[in-house]
């Protein structure tokens, strides 16, 4: 993972095959936590409004099949930077500073303003 200010790798497991690069269309899962450890129920909240084919439940946890094109700003900057270089089946856990996440706006009722996030990401596939 390329080192940038505001992004710290906490854990990593490497997958197989080619690495993800800018311009690649990828499908991934993620879980969000506040820096103090409280999970942000983003997946559960979004699952109420998404088609069932986008939702997976694994070991009682709800995941959304998220698909983005890397480099197109379709996810927060910290997530895009973390996905770069990952391989299918990879896992990364990172700490993301507010300037690479939701900044001073947050997400009402989910992410407070200026929140430092812990994000777990799994790269599922290239699409």
């Amino acid at each position: 993972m390329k080192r940038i200010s505001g992004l710290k790798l906490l854990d990593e497991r490497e997958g197989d095959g080619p690495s993800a690069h800018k311009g690649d269309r990828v499908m991934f899962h993620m879980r969000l936590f506040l820096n103090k450890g409280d999970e942000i129920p983003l997946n559960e909240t979004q699952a109420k409004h998404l088609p069932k084919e986008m939702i997976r439940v694994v070991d009682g946890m709800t995941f959304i099949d998220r698909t983005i094109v890397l480099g197109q700003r379709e996810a927060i900057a910290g997530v895009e930077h973390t996905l770069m270089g990952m391989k299918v089946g990879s896992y990364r856990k990172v700490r993301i500073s507010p300037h690479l996440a939701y900044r001073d706006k947050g997400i009402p009722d989910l992410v407070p303003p200026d929140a430092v996030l812990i994000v777990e990401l799994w790269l599922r596939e290239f699409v």
Side-chain angles (χ1 to χ4, degrees):
M1 184 173 86
K2 183 179 176 184
R3 292 182 177 250
I4 62 168
S5 177
L7 191 62
K8 181 177 182 184
L9 181 64
L10 303 174
D11 190 14
E12 179 175 41
R13 284 176 236 131
E14 190 163 337
D16 298 311
S19 299
H21 296 91
K22 187 175 182 176
D24 288 338
R25 186 174 178 82
V26 298
M27 180 186 294
F28 67 99
H29 288 161
M30 74 176 182
R31 291 177 70 197
L32 294 174
F33 300 85
L34 294 175
N35 195 38
K36 296 184 182 191
D38 296 330
E39 185 166 4
I40 299 166
L42 183 63
N43 290 325
E44 292 81 1
T45 302
Q46 290 179 330
K48 296 174 188 174
H49 308 285
L50 294 171
K52 290 187 186 337
E53 56 270 8
M54 289 182 67
I55 302 164
R56 293 183 191 278
V57 178
V58 179
D59 296 329
M61 292 184 288
T62 301
F63 291 100
I64 306 295
D65 286 341
R66 301 172 191 282
T67 302
I68 64 169
V69 176
L70 294 175
Q72 297 295 311
R73 298 183 179 187
E74 296 174 356
I76 60 174
V79 166
E80 281 208 30
H81 283 289
T82 301
L83 287 168
M84 298 279 193
M86 289 181 73
K87 300 175 181 181
V88 172
S90 292
Y91 164 83
R92 285 183 179 163
K93 181 176 183 179
V94 294
R95 180 179 295 119
I96 301 176
S97 294
H99 74 280
L100 296 174
Y102 298 104
R103 299 184 171 270
D104 59 348
K105 293 187 169 74
I107 299 175
D109 300 322
L110 287 174
V111 179
D114 297 314
V116 173
L117 301 177
I118 303 296
V119 181
E120 294 183 330
L121 291 163
W122 294 264
L123 181 61
R124 295 210 51 236
E125 63 184 86
F126 289 90
V127 289

